[in-house]
Structures are given as structure tokens and as C-alpha cells.
Amino acid sequence: MAHRPRKSSACVTLVLIGAAALSGCGDSPSTSRRNSYASKEECLADWGDPKECEQQEARRSDGSRSGYYWGPSYGSHGSSSSGRSGSSSGGHSISRGGFGSHGSSAS
Amino acid sequence: MIREMIAPRTNWREDCEAIGFSYHSIDGTYWDETRCYRFTADEIDTLEAATAELHARCLDAVEHIVTRSRFDALAIPPAWRDRVARSWRAKELSLFGRFDFAYDGNGSPKLLEYNADTPTALLEASVAQWRWLEQKIRPADPDADQFNSLHEKLIASWRAFAVTWSAGTPVHFTCVADSVEDCGNLDYLRDVATQGGVETRFIAIEDVGWDATAGVFVDNENEEIRVLCKLYPWEWLAAEKFGPQLLTSSLRVIEPAWKMLLSNKGLLPILWELFPDHPNLLAAYFDSGRIAGDYVEKPLLSREGANVIIHQGGTTIAADGEYGDEGRIYQAYAPVPRFGDDYVTIGAWIIGDEPAGIGLREDTSPITRNTSRFVPHYFT
């Protein structure tokens, strides 16, 4: 009898969530967050300091390995605790709260 | 397809929590490995083929709706029709969707509905039940398998997405911040996106900002959001204060706007009109009174079974909710299989354009709700 190809994943690795990873988005507003970057250059473009960019390695389901970078932790809901650069709001009119008036959307 | 009552792993709670599946016991029991479903390989092949077939037919239906301008039937607001059509004609990529089937292992799976915009139960289908298979089933039966290649297909899809925008463009992931289930699913999407080479950031949906001067959406750092992956329905976005800005901004949204046509229950009568007597479809109409036997009423925009009414043998079973004013469709009733006191529905995933796995939901009601328990499966 011919051998059937397997239909389930050979390996499932997580790099962000769970025990080995960062906080999820359901945390309280004061919980810090980190951005992930595909390359060190992209991390440095945001943060400037190589010490702020932490190299990580992910093993994919096919056994190959790929690298990515963590930026430093920063506060959510606009409460950045670092010197992270962002476009200035000077002269700009920014409003919030225009989305989210419904609720949970799972289906 | 049979149900087996089995002993749960002694460490199942810890194992779920180790993967970020913190909502395993939401509303009492959600993840339920006191039982599982065992399929034959032929049954899984049938489900996989039905998923691929319906995905293709749904794309046919989108083309039909756009070219024949059937937006009225789906109650798509006039202001949004061009936005939807542009999204389709631009071939904006879709990440995922989940077909819900009535199937008991005999005959053809019947499509109950298509969760095409904000499908959830993804982390549990992709990761939690895979770990259950590896820890509970395969040690005693190494040849046991599971229809579940969601993880690698999601990573591959994100790789495909990433080449469609400028290198280094971050993707912002958003949902309602206090919904633990939505956030669990969203965090998982962030995880596989990162593994696919995508830079990811989180923003609560209520924190998304609009820079009226620049005409762009911005995050908490006032940086432009160029790509937004949302677990928040399109019809809600369209109806809210910032909805009009979505019509003109260059924001790329995942899922794309054309998925509004597939997440709408009006898809079901259009599919039946285009493909009458298709083995995977149930008769469905926009008008009441056209189905002689038992039938189900479904609001066009209902989610998680809300406001669904089953008319069976002179009795009705109704789920509460806040939908229905937008219009309804009427679909022939196909009973979902019952095992003991429980009804079970099969959610079949499409990732990109490929069938990728299934997840089963059990409930004591024939209407699957957000509280329906997730039960793992395997096949031999």
C-alpha cells in the first residue's frame, strides 16, 4: 500500500507567544510591548542603539532556521518609555477612538 | 467519523497556557480533550476536497457579485461598493477563512456558512490540537495523523504577503484589546507573521488614530499605519466614525475589502443560484417560503450563531443576538451530527488558496456559538 503523505505539521514552533515569548495583546494598558524586526538594520532604524536590538532565532516547521530581532520594551497606549522616534504630531491634527465601538468580533 | 471518550492529559492546562492559549476554559469548558474525533483517511480527503472546491466556487461568486453589481442583495453600503470592487480587481491577497460544515462521515460535507473575514479558533486548531496529537495520540499510535498544516501554511502566506509591500514595512495587528479570545488569535497571527519575515506591531482597535493633515491612519507613536491586520469585521469598520477615511486612504487591510462579500450570509443564496444542486451546498434563498421542508433563517451579518433560527418539524430553535435588521437568508436545514447529547460542527480552514486543516466544535445546541467547545481530532 502506498504511503500517504502526512497532513499534520512536522514541527510547530512559536517565537512570540506563550511561555518563551512576550506578553500578549490582552494585557493591561500599562504592560510593555516589543516590536519584532526582520533584520538588524530595520531595528536600528527605529531605535538607533545596537544594544536595543536583541537577536533571536526561530526554527521553522521545515527545520530551517531564520533570524529576527527584538526592539526594546516600551509602554503601550502611547506611553513610550524609551527615546523611540516617531513622526511628530506638531501641526498635525490626530484623532483617536474612531474605531472600536462594537465589541469582540470572533466568528 | 467516530467520537472517542478519552482521558485528558494531566498537564493539559499548563500545556495550553505554555502556547498562549490562556482562554482554554473561557465560559467554563472551552478546550475539551475528554473526548476526540477519529476520522478515516478517506473522510479527511473528502473534507479537504470540499474545502478546495468551495474556495474556488466562492471566488467565482465574488467575480459574479462584482461584475453583476449584486451588492444590494448583500446590503453592502453604496459608498463601499467601489472600494470592494477595487480590492477584488487589484487581486489583494487573502490570508485565511474557515468554512463550517455539516458532515458525519457519509456523503458530501454541506456548507453551513463561511467565516471569511474574522475567523477565530485558529490557535487551538493550529497549535493546541497538534500538541495534543503529538503528546496524547502519537506515542501509542505513531501512524496517527491530523488534518492540520495550518502553521506552516500561515508562515508561507505571510512570506507571500511580505513581498507585496516595501521591505521593512511594519504590519500593525489590531483587535478589541479586552477580548482575550480575539487577542489570543491575533497574537498567534503575529507570531507566524514574524516567522514569515514580517515586522509586527500591536495596536488596540480603539487606539488607531487618524492624522487629518497627512490623510493617513497612525499608531500610538503617531507613525503611519501602512498595513493593518485586523480581527474586527469590515462592516463594523465601515459603519464607525473612521469608516469614510478607509474609502480614500491608502491603508492596506488584511483581510482585504472583497472578503466582505464572502463573510456575508448572502453568499449562500448566490452560490446556490450559480451552482444549483452542488453536492457541497444547501438550497438557499433571499426569499422566505421557497424551501418546502425544514429550514434555517440567518441574518446577513450574523456572527457566532447570533439570531439564527432553526425551523424543524414544526418547532423552532432560536439563538439570541442583535442581528437581523440588515436582512436575512433562508437555507435548507442540514442537521449536524449528534454524538450523545452533543452536536458537532466541522470548521475547515483555507490558508491562502489551500485547504489547511480542520477544527471541531461541540455544543448541546445544534447552533454553534462562541461558547461551543473545541474538541481535537485525528485520523488513521
Side-chain angles (χ1 to χ4, degrees):
Chain A
M1 188 171 73
H3 184 70
R4 293 173 60 90
R6 180 171 162 157
K7 289 187 186 293
S8 62
S9 304
C11 180
V12 173
T13 301
L14 301 172
V15 299
L16 298 187
I17 60 175
L22 84 167
S23 58
C25 65
D27 299 323
S28 65
S30 62
T31 302
S32 66
R33 304 198 182 287
R34 303 176 80 179
N35 293 339
S36 64
Y37 300 88
S39 70
K40 188 173 184 178
E41 289 71 27
E42 290 163 11
C43 182
L44 288 172
D46 256 11
W47 301 95
D49 186 348
K51 287 185 290 189
E52 300 279 31
C53 297
E54 181 184 344
Q55 185 173 16
Q56 299 288 319
E57 187 175 74
R59 190 175 66 174
R60 292 175 174 144
S61 298
D62 61 5
S64 65
R65 292 177 181 275
S66 63
Y68 64 98
Y69 287 81
W70 279 126
S73 300
Y74 63 95
S76 64
H77 290 248
S79 57
S80 175
S81 59
S82 74
R84 184 165 193 254
S85 62
S87 60
S88 169
S89 60
H92 287 229
S93 173
I94 294 174
S95 55
R96 300 188 190 276
F99 289 136
S101 61
H102 287 76
S104 171
S105 60
S107 63
Chain B
M1 176 185 178
I2 63 171
R3 186 170 77 167
E4 298 175 336
M5 305 305 287
I6 57 171
R9 293 167 294 167
T10 56
N11 67 334
W12 70 267
R13 286 182 183 81
E14 292 81 3
D15 194 65
C16 287
E17 286 158 15
I19 58 169
F21 183 17
S22 59
Y23 51 98
H24 55 69
S25 299
I26 193 169
D27 297 318
T29 300
Y30 174 55
W31 170 263
D32 188 354
E33 61 174 75
T34 64
R35 70 282 310 275
C36 67
Y37 284 86
R38 179 159 63 91
F39 292 86
T40 67
D42 286 345
E43 289 166 346
I44 292 296
D45 287 346
T46 297
L47 286 164
E48 184 174 24
T51 306
E53 164 66 12
L54 286 172
H55 174 64
R57 301 291 73 80
C58 283
L59 298 184
D60 291 339
V62 174
E63 176 69 16
H64 168 83
I65 295 165
V66 170
T67 57
R68 304 293 179 88
S69 195
R70 300 284 305 275
F71 300 105
D72 266 342
L74 278 60
I76 303 293
W80 278 83
R81 296 172 185 181
D82 182 59
R83 175 76 173 80
V84 170
R86 278 190 283 119
S87 163
W88 172 246
R89 291 181 181 125
K91 302 185 188 305
E92 290 185 0
L93 293 178
S94 164
L95 179 65
F96 62 174
R98 195 194 71 233
F99 295 100
D100 284 350
F101 287 139
Y103 180 62
D104 66 358
N106 299 298
S108 299
K110 301 292 187 184
L111 177 63
L112 300 174
E113 64 178 51
Y114 186 20
N115 301 285
D117 185 18
T118 59
T120 52
L122 180 60
L123 173 63
E124 41 274 51
S126 178
V127 186
Q129 74 168 345
W130 180 83
R131 292 172 69 89
W132 168 86
L133 175 78
E134 295 295 320
Q135 296 172 12
K136 179 69 181 179
I137 302 299
R138 287 175 60 87
D141 184 359
D143 292 330
D145 202 354
Q146 187 176 78
F147 183 20
N148 175 16
S149 56
L150 287 156
H151 193 74
E152 55 264 46
K153 286 191 168 70
L154 284 165
I155 293 171
S157 283
W158 279 113
R159 287 195 189 114
F161 270 101
V163 300
T164 66
W165 51 66
S166 303
T169 299
V171 176
H172 287 75
F173 288 73
T174 192
C175 69
V176 175
D178 64 1
S179 170
V180 65
E181 184 186 358
D182 287 6
C183 284
N185 279 271
L186 193 79
D187 281 344
Y188 177 59
L189 287 173
R190 274 190 75 191
D191 196 300
V192 286
T194 297
Q195 297 187 59
V198 174
E199 180 184 331
T200 70
R201 297 177 187 176
F202 171 76
I203 184 168
I205 187 71
E206 52 269 37
D207 286 345
V208 171
W210 173 251
D211 182 334
T213 308
V216 297
F217 288 98
V218 295
D219 63 14
N220 283 322
E221 315 297 322
N222 297 332
E223 291 185 0
E224 179 181 357
I225 300 172
R226 297 175 190 166
V227 184
L228 186 70
C229 179
K230 62 173 188 60
L231 271 185
Y232 198 76
W234 264 108
E235 64 269 18
W236 293 0
L237 292 172
E240 294 183 350
K241 180 182 171 186
F242 285 167
Q245 282 86 325
L246 281 169
L247 293 171
T248 55
S249 85
S250 59
L251 179 70
R252 170 92 174 267
V253 183
I254 302 168
E255 290 289 294
W258 59 264
K259 295 298 283 293
M260 290 173 77
L261 307 179
L262 297 182
S263 61
N264 187 304
K265 301 297 185 294
L267 167 73
L268 300 169
I270 287 178
L271 281 172
W272 187 250
E273 177 187 318
L274 295 176
F275 309 105
D277 301 319
H278 188 289
N280 297 123
L281 297 175
L282 296 163
Y285 303 95
F286 288 105
D287 308 316
S288 62
R290 297 189 62 180
I291 298 171
D294 298 338
Y295 67 99
V296 184
E297 287 185 52
K298 296 180 175 179
L300 291 178
L301 301 177
S302 166
R303 290 169 185 273
E304 298 184 329
N307 301 102
V308 167
I309 305 172
I310 298 175
H311 299 267
Q312 181 188 20
T315 63
T316 61
I317 302 171
D320 59 9
E322 299 175 349
Y323 294 94
D325 291 345
E326 71 278 14
R328 292 174 174 271
I329 63 101
Y330 303 85
Q331 183 186 44
Y333 178 54
V336 295
R338 190 173 189 182
F339 295 84
D341 293 332
D342 300 307
Y343 298 89
V344 63
T345 302
I346 300 174
W349 288 90
I350 194 91
I351 304 296
D353 292 312
E354 295 184 61
I358 57 172
L360 283 75
R361 303 287 295 275
E362 269 193 0
D363 205 296
T364 53
S365 163
I367 300 174
T368 301
R369 304 300 305 267
N370 60 339
T371 52
S372 301
R373 289 166 281 115
F374 190 101
V375 179
H377 83 278
Y378 71 103
F379 72 91
T380 55

